[in-house]
Amino acid sequence: QVQLQESGPGLLKPSQTLSLTCTVSGGSISTNNVYWSWIRQPPEKGLEWIGYMTSSGSTVYTPSLKSRTSISRDTSKNQFTLQLSSVTPEDTAVYYCVRAEPAPGDFGSWGQGTQVTVSS
């Protein structure tokens, strides 16, 4: 069974860059037809999809966050990373990494989530 685990700092100041890593076990991030997403949930709001990476390393981002978002990977460590620049308090949320197969929206395995708070 594929397992995902998020890691990264939980507290940021405005204008800093958020960097979270998702470590995947039980399956390769290079497996064909598997998509690796970042999703977040702000307090008292619904889930918001941030973007995803394909098995070949291509990326797609939600338009509202595209200018500040970068998703990359390290295949040797079986990890993928989210970077979100110029954070504001509105970026405060629980951040999840998620595996989807065979299409980007077919969410399957989720990480437990990590709380990120942006505050001065």
Side-chain angles (χ1 to χ4, degrees), residues 35-90:
Y35 301 84
W36 305 94
S37 284
W38 287 98
I39 293 172
R40 69 182 184 181
Q41 185 167 27
E44 301 182 1
K45 294 185 179 180
L47 294 171
E48 178 182 25
W49 172 73
I50 300 170
Y52 67 82
M53 173 173 281
T54 70
S55 56
S56 64
S58 300
T59 53
V60 177
Y61 305 123
T62 195
S64 62
L65 296 172
K66 184 177 181 180
S67 64
R68 300 194 290 129
T69 306
S70 177
I71 298 175
S72 58
R73 68 178 182 175
D74 185 336
T75 56
S76 67
K77 295 180 180 179
N78 216 36
Q79 295 175 331
F80 63 106
T81 298
L82 168 70
Q83 289 196 311
L84 183 66
S85 64
S86 304
V87 298
T88 73
E90 286 66 43

Side-chain angles (χ1 to χ4, degrees), residues 1 5 7 11 14 35 51 66 75-76 78 88 107 109 120:
Q1 183 177 355
Q5 178 66 58
S7 61
L11 180 62
Y35 301 84
K66 184 177 181 180
T75 56
S76 67
N78 216 36
T88 73
F107 300 127
S109 301
S120 56

Side-chain angles (χ1 to χ4, degrees), residues 101-120:
E101 179 186 20
D106 294 331
F107 300 127
S109 301
W110 291 65
Q112 66 182 24
T114 187
Q115 173 70 47
V116 175
T117 301
V118 181
S119 175
S120 56

